[in-house]
Amino acid sequence: MDIKKVNEQENTLEIKNLVIHYISDDEVVKAVNGVNITIKAGKTLGLVGETGAGKTTTALSILNLVPEPQGKILSGEVLLEGRSVFSMNPLELEEVRGDKVAMIFQDPMTSLNPVHTVGAQIAESIAIHRKVSKQEALKQAKEMLELVGIPGERANEYPYQFSGGMKQRVVIAIALACSPDLLIADEPTTALDVTIQAQVLKLINELRQKYHMSMLMITHDLGIVAEVCDEVSIAYAGRIIEHGNLEDIFDHMRHPYTKGLFDALPDIEARRSELKPIKGLMPDPTNLPTGCPFHPRCDYAMEICSQSLPQTKWISETHCVECHLYNDTNESRL
Amino acid sequence: MFKFVVKRLFAMIPIILAVTFVVFTIMYFTPGDPTNVILGNEWSETASAQLKAELGLDQSFIMQFFHYVKNLVQGNFGMSYITRAPVGDQLLARFPNTLIVVAGAMVFCVGVGVPIGIYSGVKPYSLFSNVTMVAGLLGVSLPIFWLGLLLILLFSVQLGWLPSSGLDSFASLILPSLALGSNYMANVMRTTRSSMLEVIRQDYIRTAKAKGVNERNVVLKHALQNAMMPTITVIGMNIGALLGGVVLTETVFSIPGTGRLLVESINKRDTPTVLGCLVIMAVCVAISNLVVDIIYAYIDPRIKAQYGGGKG
Amino acid sequence: MDETVKKYTTRKEFFKQYKKKSRLQETWNRFLRNKTAVLGLFIFVFIMVVAAAAPLIANYDDEAIKINVPARLKGPSAEHIFDTDEMGRDILARIVHGAQISLVVGFSAVALALFIGGAFGAIAGYYGGKTDEIIMRCMDVFLCLPDVLLALAIVAAFGTNLVNMTVAIGLSFTPKFSRVVRSAVMTVRGIEYVEAARAIGSTNAHIITNHVLINCFGPIVVQVTLYVASAILTISALSFIGLGIQAPIPEWGNMLASGRAYMRDHAYIVVAPGLAIFVTILSLNLLGDGLRDALDPRLK
């Protein structure tokens, strides 16, 4: 029982047992090591994890944009509405990108082409997928700008004339230009000022609901997850170690790592209490520990943890975990 | 944009003036008495003094420079010591040949170097890319004059396909262009390749791909314009080097151009002609620098805005 | 009080030394992994050894200088593996001795350029502002003149001997070195240990020589390597057009010039000296590129 039961509801995205390594002359970076993700139509999945957990690589694989030639997809499948992304030819991929699936990138400062106007950059996507004239595409681009809260006449300006928050709005406008079925947001607020973060997040959420998009929200911020997500997958060292709906994860967490994440959050009610960071560091992806990759940092580690990788264990219809603690029980042992 | 160009044109004047000053100063210190060169066997104390007064050589350094610049502004490069003809006429006769050779080399260098550089930057792990990299490394190390001689040996002596000297037909332009351009072509190619490699890794290229832009347009519309900046810098710097190299090319292929004139005049100690050749070449470099700046501003909106020209 | 300051500087120095050494080691290891760069180094060391051992390989006066008309242009033989030239001199002997001149003039010219250009560049980069503006504008003027032409002008004015040529090439490279040193200085200027040195009252001259220049070492070494190649090329170019080193002194460029007339029937006479220039420059370029990659791994 390692793959989730087939649901009657249509799945926008299914990632099955994805393994991606970056192979160079000197080393092999094991970025993604068997990820399973499912997003149902209209739902939002939060993918949570530390830097280096393989979140971005997973996201890029959905568009088949894993950096070549180092990035090697060793096994697994990505299905978009049932169609396998890896078996698409270049033309089919171009049709999917930007139209069916769009992506908001982490760093708005570098995500826009410095030599084209923002209007042209938004219009490009529309012109490719909607097969409209340049003027019409530009007109729609201006509407998109208005939609993300930027005056349409600024379409003729260049990225350097925009602030970071504004640039991220432009990136969002590009992503939403063709109202995709699936929106991938890769830490869309990390590079922004705290004050801007909330605005941008709100904007993404509103637009998502308006267009009934499914969304993959990649973040390391559990607050964002609580605000926008329906389900959560916790990633660690290129694996999904726990998955469930908001209630499963926030109130009935099972994995020691998930618990660690919550313990590391500041508690506003108990200001005096110390933060409890998870001991140790994320393992080196070129040299992952044997067995459960979390065991060297785990307070609950047992002998078996260093020997074998735990299987996916379903706690309930919606909630699963990969941890040896639950080999013989569904009750929380934390 | 027009204002920017005019402003830059005016900014060129002091630079050209300063270069003229430098060259004039160097040549002023040429040891020996120029009247010896001019009068030859007819040299006498009085004739020399008379000639010096006639040519203004008895005046102070500053006055001589002042006169030179005054004449220069009127398009007068002075009189040759040897032919006693205006230097300007000689330059006018010789300079077009130099321009043709430089233009030929430029076309070769940009027309071949840029496309190869782009392609090998886009496909950095291909066999083609590796081959061009090696060729580029060899190319930047090739001395112009040696390559010229080898080309003559191969295409004129062995195969008899192309003329080895002169500049009277298109065929006779091919070898000089190759000889002069190869070195810089390799340079341009290497620069384009590495800047393409750099640009293709940028986030905005990923953004473009994620929009569904096809491979061709990702390169042509998104990467190229950004990748061209360093290439244009190198091309701009190469124009100066090409004008230096043209002296060698004209020597190898016996082309009657400014470079050849310069060398001949140095040998004959014909200072006004030497000066004229150097000044005109320096002006060329200054103009090409200006052109490069304009192209920059055209490509990069940030630079355009900085100069207050254009929109935004 | 005085003593504590002193102690602090030595400790600081101590740590800096420590850090530098490991960085140097790392750079060297990166360099060794680059096969083409090691090849370049190998070839260049070989050329230097040959140049140094030139008198052992061939007698200068007897084989490289003495005219021996009966032996002229006989074709390659066991005695003259690269043939003899139009005066009957052994081409290999001339190339080997020519290497000495090229290397000596090349390195001296670059040393001169580095010394003068480096001083101006360091001052401009360190002080910034008006000083920088004035120095760099002056250097820009020189940059308007292609360096071959500037060197030509100097040689034309002062005559063609070894010293003049070295000076001419050195001066023509000066603006380039001032730029390199200036930008290197500007990047390290703001770094903390320079600030720290300033804070403890080191004089500007002391800071420039002991802190700033030492840390600009990397980029400067790269440029020196590449410009030595350039200088060697310029020497032979000037000699080729007859305004550099004059016959009968063996120099690669003037060998090409004098051999030109005979090349139709005796290819060796131009192929061999040119090959010497080409291989020398190639090795320096490989070495320079390798050093640059090793010093700045980001660029790879």
Side-chain angles (χ1 to χ4, degrees), chain A residues 189-216:
Chain A
T189 59
T190 309
L192 303 178
D193 282 348
V194 185
T195 45
I196 311 291
Q197 285 185 1
Q199 292 176 20
V200 168
L201 203 61
K202 188 160 161 264
L203 179 72
I204 293 175
N205 211 16
E206 280 171 8
L207 294 171
R208 183 189 73 78
Q209 282 164 359
K210 188 171 166 190
Y211 293 111
H212 309 292
M213 285 180 275
S214 310
M215 180 158 82
L216 176 63

Side-chain angles (χ1 to χ4, degrees), chain B residues 191-192 195-196 199 204 222-232:
Chain B
T191 310
T192 309
S195 91
M196 200 69 196
V199 167
Y204 55 79
H222 289 270
L224 193 56
Q225 207 172 336
N226 287 291
M228 284 316 280
M229 304 277 177
T231 304
I232 288 166

Side-chain angles (χ1 to χ4, degrees), chain A residues 110-111 116 121 124 129 160, chain B residues 203 207 211 221-222 226 305:
Chain A
T110 56
S111 295
H116 295 315
Q121 295 190 53
E124 189 176 25
H129 299 294
Y160 75 93
Chain B
D203 286 353
T207 309
K211 276 193 273 190
K221 279 192 182 165
H222 289 270
N226 287 291

Side-chain angles (χ1 to χ4, degrees), chain A residues 304-325:
Chain A
I304 187 172
C305 296
S306 60
Q307 289 156 2
S308 72
L309 199 63
Q311 295 292 304
T312 307
K313 165 89 178 183
W314 288 93
I315 309 291
S316 70
E317 281 281 291
T318 55
H319 189 184
C320 66
V321 66
E322 278 187 5
C323 180
H324 286 301
L325 287 176

